Amino acid sequence: MNKLIITGMICTALSITACSDDNTIFNEPAPIRTYEADAEVLSQFVEVDSRTGLFSINPGRKVTATDYVVNRSREQLLEVSSINRTRFEREMEQANDLIEAYRDALNVSVIYTTPTSGLVRNNEEGTMRLLKLQSDNIDGRTIARLSVSGDDICRTGFYSMGDKRLMVSSGNTSMFYVSQISFLTSDNTNKGTILLVGLGGNSLPYSYSLALPEVDGEYLNIQGKSLIGNGSVTVGISQ
């Protein structure tokens, strides 16, 4: 009798297990988004530290007005894959390393051409001065234009006379990009370098006043080179 009871219990247990297995619902894992899609989400949370001039991710940033009510942007951020975030942060650190290498050099200014920032950092010990203007329209005659792309060193020149305005726009398709332009005299003396740092496919033009008091009345060569990025950065100078 005991054997019959034990046998019946085993059969019942197996039957329950089999039914349980048949009714199990497996949730399919959410598909991993492409790097480009995740990078676009991450870029909305990138800020420029006004003290250090370096990029950082601020997960608490409100991207849209509705994020103060229903923070859908934060939900998107949480859905970013760890693999894509690691790659994004690595590229951000490469840009930050270049900013750190240049920012304290004499007569170097840094322009951030990002969708959310027109920040300019001037070296206090240098003579070159850049100031972000409220209007992005260039008045006067364009005297020089330079498009910086690829590994080639690009050059042009102009006579530096009086007040000048500088227009910057980007056609980069990479997430982070860094380019530099330098103002050189006829004997190749560097009278100022501008580091152009950007984030995302930003084509919005920014306008700045440009002061080069040491070389007023001289002919200047502009030399530019792309350091990070796979597109172009264009600068125009008018006076």
Side-chain angles (χ1 to χ4, degrees), residues 4-20:
L4 291 175
I5 293 173
I6 293 172
T7 302
M9 292 174 63
I10 292 173
C11 290
T12 301
L14 290 173
S15 176
I16 293 173
T17 303
C19 292
S20 176

Side-chain angles (χ1 to χ4, degrees), residues 85-168:
R85 178 160 183 157
T86 298
R87 176 181 169 184
F88 184 89
E89 290 176 339
R90 184 169 61 247
E91 293 181 2
M92 182 172 67
E93 284 308 308
Q94 289 177 343
N96 282 340
D97 287 345
L98 280 173
I99 295 171
E100 283 191 298
Y102 275 82
R103 67 181 179 186
D104 296 325
L106 185 63
N107 231 18
V108 172
S109 296
V110 184
I111 291 178
Y112 298 85
T113 54
T114 73
T116 59
S117 174
L119 179 67
V120 177
R121 288 174 59 92
N122 291 301
N123 187 310
E124 295 302 323
E125 297 181 4
T127 57
M128 181 178 65
R129 283 291 177 270
L130 285 164
L131 177 65
K132 177 73 173 66
L133 299 175
Q134 296 301 315
S135 172
D136 289 325
N137 295 320
I138 286 187
D139 296 325
R141 179 174 58 92
T142 299
I143 57 175
R145 185 177 299 275
L146 182 70
S147 184
V148 181
S149 61
D151 296 328
D152 297 332
I153 297 177
C154 307
R155 296 180 177 87
T156 188
F158 68 99
Y159 280 99
S160 179
M161 299 289 290
D163 297 333
K164 289 167 286 296
R165 295 187 69 176
L166 178 76
M167 178 76 83
V168 180

Side-chain angles (χ1 to χ4, degrees), residues 187-199:
D187 61 355
N188 282 332
T189 301
N190 190 335
K191 291 300 183 178
T193 293
I194 301 175
L195 198 67
L196 304 166
V197 182
L199 170 67

Side-chain angles (χ1 to χ4, degrees), residues 209-229:
S209 65
L210 170 64
L212 293 163
E214 284 189 332
V215 290
D216 213 30
E218 293 188 40
Y219 185 85
L220 289 179
N221 293 300
I222 311 176
Q223 180 172 292
K225 181 176 177 59
S226 175
L227 304 177
I228 295 177

